[in-house]
């Protein structure tokens, strides 16, 4: 069986199918002869079985490239290998993402950011990982980094409501009010029944002393959610800035009725 140690690193052997069939035929013939020789002795039979399973025929050509595949067959083979690799990377990415969620919930914001970063490295279009990392950056008051992550989310899905909304919040925190207004408008357009971006628009206009616009959006917020005591309170403040004291008092009283313990009223 010395030919079992025939070099196995050869590449691109011509007429490979023919050679493979010849190797199979020779091995089968040799193994049958060995079987008859050793069958009379049980201990030798154990040696034979050991050799048979230790040096399978396929070992001879396991590393020899099969040059008989057509271009289409090779492409299919390579696509399967690529798909398997992609699935493995996606699984690793999901695992890192899940650890990011766990870390965030436990209050370990830095760790969650690292895990989300690992998930993104393994899957560069992992939308939720970008969004959650953006939220984590917001927790750390790293608003510029948060905006970059929300922008990445929107490059993948331009109609992601929460990315627009929280991007608006980040712009608000860094006092980029015009950009905040644009983001809140986008969010409001995507989800017209949600009072949150409407309230935030009222707040931005109040901060920028555009009291008419502020009153308008706080009023719209109230029409969407009549229990928004904060909208009543802040609209009252906008009326007060315009010296419309009766209207201001009415809104303050409404806010107190809805939330008597609200300290900022």
């Amino acid at each position: 069986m010395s030919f079992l140690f025939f070099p196995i690193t050869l590449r691109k052997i011509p007429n490979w199918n023919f050679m493979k069939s010849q190797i199979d035929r020779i091995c089968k013939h040799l193994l049958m002869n060995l079987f008859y020789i050793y069958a009379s002795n049980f201990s030798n039979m154990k040696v034979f079985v050991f050799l048979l399973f230790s040096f399978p025929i396929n070992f001879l050509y396991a590393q020899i490239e099969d040059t008989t595949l057509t271009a289409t067959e090779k492409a299919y083979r390579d696509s399967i290998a690529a798909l398997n690799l992609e699935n493995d990377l996606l699984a690793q990415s999901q695992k890192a993402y899940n650890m990011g969620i766990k870390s965030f919930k436990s209050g370990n914001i830095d760790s969650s950011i690292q895990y989300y970063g690992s998930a993104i490295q393994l899957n560069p279009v992992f939308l939720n990982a970008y969004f959650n990392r953006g939220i984590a950056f917001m927790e750390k008051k790293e608003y510029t980094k948060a905006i970059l992550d929300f922008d990445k989310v929107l490059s993948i899905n331009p109609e992601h409501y929460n990315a627009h909304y929280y991007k608006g919040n980040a712009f608000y925190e860094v006092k980029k009010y015009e950009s905040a207004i644009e983001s809140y408008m986008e969010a409001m357009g995507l989800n017209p029944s949600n009072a949150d971006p409407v309230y935030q628009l009222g707040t931005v206009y109040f901060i920028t002393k555009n009291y008419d616009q502020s009153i308008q959006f706080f009023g719209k917020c109230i029409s969407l959610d009549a229990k928004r005591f904060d909208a009543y309170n802040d609209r009252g403040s906008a009326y007060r800035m315009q010296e419309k004291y009766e209207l201001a008092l009415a809104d303050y009283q409404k806010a107190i009725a809805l939330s008597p313990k609200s300290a900022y009223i």
Side-chain angles (χ1 to χ4, degrees):
M1 296 182 70
S2 62
F3 87 100
L4 285 172
F5 301 99
F6 178 83
I8 62 174
T9 58
L10 298 177
R11 294 291 187 271
K12 298 182 179 179
I13 297 176
N15 302 320
W16 169 245
N17 281 341
F18 174 76
M19 287 191 64
K20 181 174 180 292
S21 66
Q22 293 303 306
I23 292 173
D24 285 340
R25 183 179 61 81
I26 293 170
C27 286
K28 289 176 182 177
H29 179 73
L30 180 58
L31 291 173
M32 287 301 297
N33 286 337
L34 286 172
F35 178 84
Y36 288 120
I37 292 171
Y38 286 101
S40 60
N41 187 306
F42 180 72
S43 62
N44 285 338
M45 173 61 75
K46 289 192 292 183
V47 173
F48 167 75
V49 172
F50 169 78
L51 290 173
L52 176 61
F53 284 97
S54 297
F55 301 97
I57 295 173
N58 285 338
F59 179 77
L60 293 171
Y61 41 79
Q63 298 183 29
I64 301 178
E65 182 180 349
D66 189 347
T67 61
T68 63
L69 292 178
T70 66
T72 301
E73 290 170 334
K74 287 181 179 179
Y76 176 75
R77 177 198 62 191
D78 293 343
S79 68
I80 294 299
L83 180 61
N84 289 336
L85 176 60
E86 181 182 359
N87 287 338
D88 182 56
L89 292 175
L90 290 176
Q92 294 180 51
S93 178
Q94 185 65 47
K95 182 177 180 180
Y97 173 76
N98 292 341
M99 289 300 297
I101 293 175
K102 184 177 179 180
S103 295
F104 187 88
K105 288 181 177 179
S106 66
N108 194 338
I109 307 302
D110 288 332
S111 179
S112 74
I113 289 172
Q114 291 177 357
Y115 278 121
Y116 291 136
S118 297
I120 289 166
Q121 284 184 330
L122 293 164
N123 179 10
V125 292
F126 199 159
L127 183 150
N128 288 342
Y130 283 109
F131 178 77
N132 283 12
R133 190 174 68 175
I135 295 297
F137 280 133
M138 292 284 287
E139 287 292 313
K140 287 177 61 66
K141 302 186 185 303
E142 296 183 20
Y143 301 114
T144 300
K145 291 181 179 179
I147 290 168
L148 291 175
D149 273 348
F150 296 141
D151 278 337
K152 187 62 180 181
V153 171
L154 294 171
S155 73
I156 299 170
N157 177 12
E159 297 185 352
H160 195 287
Y161 165 81
N162 281 329
H164 283 294
Y165 177 73
Y166 284 101
K167 183 181 174 183
N169 288 350
F171 277 130
Y172 177 83
E173 294 294 340
V174 295
K175 296 179 170 52
K176 293 185 177 180
Y177 298 123
E178 289 299 322
S179 296
I181 289 171
E182 290 178 9
S183 294
Y184 291 139
M185 286 291 190
E186 290 285 350
M188 186 175 66
L190 290 169
N191 191 355
S193 63
N194 193 318
D196 290 337
V198 182
Y199 173 80
Q200 290 301 111
L201 282 165
T203 300
V204 174
Y205 283 120
F206 183 88
I207 291 294
T208 56
K209 300 183 179 181
N210 190 335
Y211 301 120
D212 286 336
Q213 286 285 79
S214 178
I215 291 168
Q216 177 184 336
F217 280 103
F218 286 137
K220 185 172 183 178
C221 177
I222 292 167
S223 67
L224 290 170
D225 184 355
K227 295 182 180 180
R228 288 293 297 253
F229 68 89
D230 49 354
Y232 279 107
N233 179 85
D234 293 347
R235 189 176 68 175
S237 295
Y239 281 134
R240 178 170 57 84
M241 297 304 294
Q242 292 182 328
E243 299 182 355
K244 297 178 180 179
Y245 300 118
E246 290 186 4
L247 293 174
L249 182 59
D251 273 352
Y252 286 144
Q253 290 174 337
K254 183 66 175 179
I256 292 171
L258 288 170
S259 183
K261 296 182 180 180
S262 295
Y264 73 97
I265 294 175

